Amino acid sequence: MALFGNAHTVDPGKAQQDYARLLGQSEQVHAAYMLIRDTILFTDRRLILVDKQGMTGRKVEYHSVPYRSITHFAVETAGTFDLDAELKIWISGSATPIEKTFTKGVDIYEVQAILTQFVAK
């Protein structure tokens, strides 16, 4: 599905295995989403953004965002002509949000609910 630009959910167990090197001891992946080439992981401790760069995607940047650093977030649902939904996350100390685009393959309300679960702790 990612080849056609459709975002989709990833099995948390598979994401746990695929990204084991990034995870701390006993850290668990609760949800994961593939967005074309990038991946978003919701763990019990933090949000991990996997950003593949360049033509080949061999260069990868990993952003680790502790939930306590998230000051607020917003979702923008897909519309009639704009079929993409967006997630914006503001981090303390940064004026510009992190922005991720989801196509119709992902329920943006589900993403918001997961984020709410961890940020509101």
Side-chain angles (χ1 to χ4, degrees):
M1 291 174 78
L3 294 175
F4 300 108
N6 291 328
H8 63 278
T9 59
V10 176
D11 175 61
K14 177 154 176 34
Q16 182 86 28
Q17 290 175 341
D18 292 348
Y19 296 99
R21 295 175 53 191
L22 297 176
L23 303 175
Q25 185 175 358
S26 74
E27 185 174 11
Q28 295 294 310
V29 175
H30 287 267
Y33 297 90
M34 176 74 83
L35 310 172
I36 302 175
R37 295 188 336 167
D38 297 342
T39 304
I40 298 176
L41 306 172
F42 291 91
T43 77
D44 54 345
R45 299 180 191 169
R46 60 197 165 128
L47 180 66
I48 301 173
L49 306 169
V50 181
D51 183 13
K52 292 189 177 180
Q53 301 175 352
M55 294 290 288
T56 64
R58 297 190 97 204
K59 183 177 180 181
V60 181
E61 185 172 44
Y62 302 97
H63 294 269
S64 177
V65 180
Y67 294 119
R68 69 181 176 278
S69 298
I70 297 174
T71 58
H72 69 283
F73 60 91
V75 294
E76 181 179 301
T77 61
T80 304
F81 298 107
D82 181 11
L83 300 177
D84 297 332
E86 292 184 5
L87 171 66
K88 296 178 185 176
I89 302 171
W90 283 265
I91 308 299
S92 60
S94 178
T96 58
I98 295 170
E99 296 183 37
K100 293 294 178 183
T101 302
F102 294 80
T103 55
K104 62 182 176 180
V106 172
D107 179 0
I108 195 68
Y109 295 108
E110 178 182 293
V111 175
Q112 175 186 324
I114 293 167
L115 193 53
T116 298
Q117 175 186 349
F118 292 112
V119 172
K121 283 186 178 183

